[in-house]
Each structure stands twice: as structure tokens, then as C-alpha cells.
Amino acid sequence: MPSLAVMASKKEVPQELSTAPFDPRFPNQNQTRYCWQSYVDYHRCRKLKGEDYAPCDYFRKCYESLCPFAWVEKWDTQREENRFPGKI
């Protein structure tokens, strides 16, 4: 276990935490639809504008903060297998 002097000498870099901003299309507490729409919008944006189009990252940040990881894994698998139910 490191000594207190060693622990005190390490500087902690503060991280900026944020979540998806309010979207008037989804005013209720249940954010499931917002999660789904952000996921679809992100992949639709990348398909239309290209992989390196920075504004698409807005949708990625939204769905990463709202969607359970298991859902994202499932949707990614479905997209890879061309079984995804959304229109991308």
C-alpha cells in the first residue's frame, strides 16, 4: 500500500461529467425513447456524413449517457447482422 506522502503528491485531474441535455421531444422521466432516437441518429449521421464528422458525436454522447450498455451491445450486434429494426 502506498504511503500517504506518495498519495498526497499525486495530482488528481478533475473530470468534467455531463449527461444528455433536455430535449423537448422527450419531456417525461422515462428516457427510453430519447436513448433509442439518439442511437439511431448517431448511426444515421455517420452513414450520411461519414465516420469523421464531429457533430455526430453529440448523438453518441447522448446515447452513451442514457442507454444501458446491454442495449447498445444488442443493437450493435443486430446492426452487424443486418437485423436492426430501426431505419438507419
Side-chain angles (χ1 to χ4, degrees), residues 19-23 25 34 38 42 53-64:
T19 187
F22 176 75
D23 189 331
R25 298 176 297 167
Y34 191 5
S38 295
Y42 171 70
Y53 190 63
C56 294
D57 288 339
Y58 168 80
F59 298 115
R60 181 184 53 80
K61 289 177 184 176
C62 287
Y63 87 73
E64 285 180 348

Side-chain angles (χ1 to χ4, degrees), residues 40-50 53 55-56 59:
V40 171
D41 287 345
Y42 171 70
H43 290 288
R44 191 176 292 156
C45 180
R46 287 184 59 201
K47 181 179 178 182
L48 294 173
K49 299 292 186 176
Y53 190 63
C56 294
F59 298 115

Side-chain angles (χ1 to χ4, degrees), residues 2-14:
S3 68
L4 291 176
V6 172
M7 290 173 55
S9 68
K10 292 183 182 179
K11 293 183 180 180
E12 292 187 24
V13 178

